[in-house]
Amino acid sequence: MPLNKLQKYPDLLEILHLSPDTRDEVLRSVFNRDIEDNPDFSFRKKRIYPIKSDGKIDMDRQFMHLTREEVTEEDENGRKYPKRVFDRHRSMRLHWIRHHIEERLPDKIEVFSVMERDMKWRKDLIKTYIYDSDEKYIIVLEPHRSGTGYYLLSAYYLNRSYGVKGIKKKLKKRLPDVY
């Protein structure tokens, strides 16, 4: 377990050999250190807040978004529903979030904002992306309405064939300023 707390970008966390409970314990310790218990968790001097659930801060939900991907499953009646399952690619890179948020290697990342249609809320929202093209890694932030902070929406490895293509499409629609 201590070895994983010492891993630095671009190394990956060594978690795949662990049992699911031990793996989550290791990941939670990294998450707590870098995000939940980090009083300086900010991007460009703006505080980063976890996504809210029912109007309340939900760090467990945030942890799930950063270590699991959403898949669609089907029950015995044929109804489809979303479910979050362990994503090794996200999880092995969990410690990369802080590295990128702190812009430790600014020459290796591209930061941009895009106006996007949010299908869940049925409205246009600005999202800010931190993109590491060398490592195919993306962090998604949503600027807080007040303009004084961000919500951390997600962070993931672009391991799908459409991932990099989708980011390049967003780059073409980038706004002139980062929000």
Side-chain angles (χ1 to χ4, degrees), residues 65-101:
H65 273 267
L66 299 175
T67 59
R68 287 156 174 75
E69 70 175 322
E70 188 173 290
V71 296
T72 302
E73 295 213 346
E74 194 171 313
D75 65 15
E76 60 277 352
N77 299 321
R79 287 186 299 232
K80 295 182 180 182
Y81 61 94
K83 180 180 178 182
R84 287 216 165 253
V85 297
F86 173 72
D87 182 340
R88 68 187 181 110
H89 298 290
R90 288 179 194 225
S91 295
M92 292 187 321
R93 292 164 177 81
L94 183 63
H95 63 298
W96 287 14
I97 295 172
R98 185 173 183 178
H99 170 88
H100 287 87
I101 291 291

Side-chain angles (χ1 to χ4, degrees), residues 30-90:
V30 172
F31 174 81
N32 289 345
R33 178 198 66 201
D34 291 352
I35 298 171
E36 185 171 5
D37 298 335
N38 179 357
D40 300 319
F41 192 54
S42 303
F43 178 65
R44 297 188 173 177
K45 299 182 181 177
K46 293 181 181 179
R47 181 85 174 123
I48 299 176
Y49 300 96
I51 35 185
K52 292 184 177 182
S53 178
D54 297 324
K56 296 178 186 164
I57 291 175
D58 187 347
M59 294 309 273
D60 290 332
R61 183 171 180 233
Q62 185 77 72
F63 177 73
M64 295 292 275
H65 273 267
L66 299 175
T67 59
R68 287 156 174 75
E69 70 175 322
E70 188 173 290
V71 296
T72 302
E73 295 213 346
E74 194 171 313
D75 65 15
E76 60 277 352
N77 299 321
R79 287 186 299 232
K80 295 182 180 182
Y81 61 94
K83 180 180 178 182
R84 287 216 165 253
V85 297
F86 173 72
D87 182 340
R88 68 187 181 110
H89 298 290
R90 288 179 194 225

Side-chain angles (χ1 to χ4, degrees), residues 3-179:
L3 174 64
N4 280 304
K5 288 198 106 169
L6 300 175
Q7 295 290 66
K8 303 279 187 227
Y9 169 90
D11 295 330
L12 302 175
L13 296 177
E14 296 174 15
I15 56 171
L16 299 181
H17 66 286
L18 303 172
S19 71
D21 287 342
T22 303
R23 180 186 67 215
D24 277 350
E25 189 178 305
V26 168
L27 290 170
R28 191 63 194 225
S29 71
V30 172
F31 174 81
N32 289 345
R33 178 198 66 201
D34 291 352
I35 298 171
E36 185 171 5
D37 298 335
N38 179 357
D40 300 319
F41 192 54
S42 303
F43 178 65
R44 297 188 173 177
K45 299 182 181 177
K46 293 181 181 179
R47 181 85 174 123
I48 299 176
Y49 300 96
I51 35 185
K52 292 184 177 182
S53 178
D54 297 324
K56 296 178 186 164
I57 291 175
D58 187 347
M59 294 309 273
D60 290 332
R61 183 171 180 233
Q62 185 77 72
F63 177 73
M64 295 292 275
H65 273 267
L66 299 175
T67 59
R68 287 156 174 75
E69 70 175 322
E70 188 173 290
V71 296
T72 302
E73 295 213 346
E74 194 171 313
D75 65 15
E76 60 277 352
N77 299 321
R79 287 186 299 232
K80 295 182 180 182
Y81 61 94
K83 180 180 178 182
R84 287 216 165 253
V85 297
F86 173 72
D87 182 340
R88 68 187 181 110
H89 298 290
R90 288 179 194 225
S91 295
M92 292 187 321
R93 292 164 177 81
L94 183 63
H95 63 298
W96 287 14
I97 295 172
R98 185 173 183 178
H99 170 88
H100 287 87
I101 291 291
E102 293 176 354
E103 296 184 273
R104 292 185 186 166
L105 294 172
D107 296 341
K108 293 186 64 93
I109 62 171
E110 184 127 23
V111 178
F112 63 98
S113 295
V114 177
M115 180 70 73
E116 295 181 337
R117 185 76 178 164
D118 187 298
M119 301 313 275
K120 181 180 177 183
W121 301 106
R122 296 189 184 122
K123 64 180 179 178
D124 292 334
L125 297 172
I126 293 175
K127 292 188 181 165
T128 297
Y129 290 86
I130 302 169
Y131 176 46
D132 180 336
S133 60
D134 289 350
E135 296 293 338
K136 295 192 224 170
Y137 189 69
I138 194 88
I139 297 173
V140 186
L141 304 170
E142 182 181 315
H144 195 271
R145 283 178 225 95
S146 68
T148 61
Y150 291 100
Y151 291 112
L152 174 57
L153 300 182
S154 196
Y156 50 91
Y157 177 60
L158 298 168
N159 59 322
R160 304 280 198 283
S161 60
Y162 53 81
V164 173
K165 190 186 305 182
I167 293 301
K168 287 182 178 178
K169 219 171 163 181
K170 290 178 191 306
L171 276 164
K172 288 179 183 176
K173 296 191 289 184
R174 73 190 313 161
L175 298 172
D177 296 314
V178 173
Y179 290 88

